[in-house]
Amino acid sequence: MDLKKAGRLGVGLSLAGVAGIMFMHWVVFFWAPTESTMGIIQRINYVHVPMAWITELAFGLTAFASVIYLWLGDDRADAAAVAAAEGGMYFCVALLIAGSLWGRVAWGTFWTWDARLTFTLLLWFIFLGYFLVRRSTSNPHQGRRLGAVVAIIGGLDIPLIHMSVYWFPTLHPEPVYLRPDGPTADSAFVITLIVAFFAYTLLFLGLLSLRYGVEVAEREWVLRSTRLNRATS
Amino acid sequence: MRQAFFYVVLASAAMLSIPAAALGQNPALVGSFRPYLFVLLAFASGWLLIGAWVFQIGRKVNNLARRIEEDSGD
């Protein structure tokens, strides 16, 4: 996919995502009922849960693209991995902030070393390491390969985050919506969450597409200018 | 870059105007302002971080365009 195609797709999806998020805000603040136990603070779920999904999607994509890169050596897979990891870093911070705000009201603390919270923070640090490792060598190809290994290790943390509430049950509640036996919440809450999921995912995919296009274009330019310099020298 | 900034500010204002309007219309939300403030902060932080990623992408596009322009000028 070239920069123009990626740009068009990215802008289209991003605009659809922005419109979706605006609609989602209306649904969350005007249509969705207030939950009887947690009250208004439950509305944080409509940003916290989609952010969790996108964080896992982004870092999962990075790990998957890294496997492809190590296997086939395709530069486009590495470009996709970097683009997804970069988005994952931002969405993961948003996830942690939203969770902390919810925790302050629900648990009385912004942070606790609960298993799910700890594994999520660990995921963020692993992918911070991913970017540091990539820049740690003067040989960009070696940096990319080392980064891919770190990304795959980070990908292994995703199922741990998911299962931690069952394996190490402490403070973080078990899933209410994404359960094998179906959601336990009222349908209005589920519909609102689906709208939020859809809107944030569209925006993420749009920005990912834009970022991927920029990454590919940048690499093509570096390759072209290196060839040109060699030819003229 | 300036254009990206303009769109982010415009979208942020539009986004946050909806919960702000809800605050004005729903007395139950005003009654429990602190939790509502936390809800607003959660949504705003999400939007802020997405905006930060948009800025980063915009900066990369700018840098690339500048380098290509410099190259073609040589």
Side-chain angles (χ1 to χ4, degrees), chain A residues 81-96:
Chain A
V82 173
E86 200 178 280
M89 293 297 279
Y90 285 107
F91 278 90
C92 191
V93 174
L95 158 73
L96 290 168

Side-chain angles (χ1 to χ4, degrees), chain B:
Chain B
M1 198 64 187
R2 204 176 289 168
Q3 206 178 11
F5 179 75
F6 171 73
Y7 286 128
V8 168
V9 169
L10 193 72
S12 305
M15 292 286 167
L16 294 174
S17 69
I18 298 167
L23 187 66
Q25 286 196 9
N26 192 343
L29 299 178
V30 183
S32 49
F33 183 71
R34 192 166 167 268
Y36 190 71
L37 181 71
F38 275 48
V39 174
L40 284 187
L41 282 175
F43 276 85
S45 66
W47 192 239
L48 199 76
L49 283 150
I50 292 168
W53 193 25
V54 172
F55 270 123
Q56 195 175 352
I57 296 169
R59 218 181 55 205
K60 279 185 184 291
V61 172
N62 258 12
N63 285 345
L64 184 63
R66 189 172 38 89
R67 269 151 56 181
I68 290 170
E69 203 177 10
E70 279 171 8
D71 240 29
S72 61
D74 288 342

Side-chain angles (χ1 to χ4, degrees), chain A:
Chain A
M1 198 179 350
D2 65 10
L3 183 60
K4 270 187 183 169
K5 265 188 201 166
R8 271 199 296 268
L9 179 71
V11 169
L13 284 173
S14 301
L15 287 178
V18 169
I21 291 176
M22 288 189 77
F23 175 65
M24 181 271 284
H25 277 192
W26 179 84
V27 173
V28 168
F29 291 101
F30 283 96
W31 183 78
T34 300
E35 208 260 346
S36 56
T37 318
M38 281 191 283
I40 288 155
I41 202 73
Q42 179 271 341
R43 281 177 165 84
I44 286 183
N45 277 349
Y46 303 127
V47 63
H48 178 65
V49 181
M51 291 291 170
W53 146 248
I54 291 170
T55 300
E56 292 183 4
L57 174 71
F59 290 142
L61 275 174
T62 308
F64 179 71
S66 297
V67 171
I68 302 287
Y69 176 69
L70 286 180
W71 185 24
L72 301 175
D74 191 332
D75 218 32
R76 288 171 302 179
D78 182 65
V82 173
E86 200 178 280
M89 293 297 279
Y90 285 107
F91 278 90
C92 191
V93 174
L95 158 73
L96 290 168
I97 291 175
S100 293
L101 290 166
W102 184 85
R104 181 69 185 88
V105 178
W107 302 333
T109 179
F110 283 110
W111 183 262
T112 176
W113 293 102
D114 165 86
R116 182 169 267 192
L117 274 68
T118 309
F119 282 130
T120 307
L121 187 65
L122 180 69
L123 186 72
W124 190 84
F125 275 111
I126 291 173
F127 279 92
L128 179 68
Y130 169 77
F131 286 103
L132 295 177
V133 160
R134 287 175 67 88
R135 289 170 195 179
S136 65
T137 69
S138 53
N139 179 349
H141 294 289
Q142 194 187 8
R144 286 171 193 172
R145 278 197 298 274
L146 288 173
V149 174
V150 175
I152 294 164
I153 294 168
L156 298 176
D157 190 30
I158 296 170
L160 274 179
I161 294 172
H162 215 71
M163 297 309 292
S164 58
V165 284
Y166 300 109
W167 292 345
F168 318 103
T170 46
L171 267 177
H172 197 288
E174 284 187 14
V176 175
Y177 308 99
L178 299 171
R179 297 167 64 93
D181 52 343
T184 54
D186 188 74
S187 62
F189 299 113
V190 179
I191 291 167
T192 311
L193 193 71
I194 288 170
V195 172
F197 261 76
F198 197 66
Y200 279 117
T201 307
L202 270 181
L203 184 58
F204 168 72
L205 292 177
L207 294 176
L208 177 69
S209 177
L210 282 172
R211 181 64 187 86
Y212 170 78
V214 174
E215 186 68 26
V216 170
E218 201 172 10
R219 286 173 192 215
E220 279 174 3
W221 177 80
V222 169
L223 203 69
R224 255 203 307 270
S225 58
T226 312
R227 278 186 195 148
L228 202 71
N229 284 345
R230 274 194 199 140
T232 50
S233 63

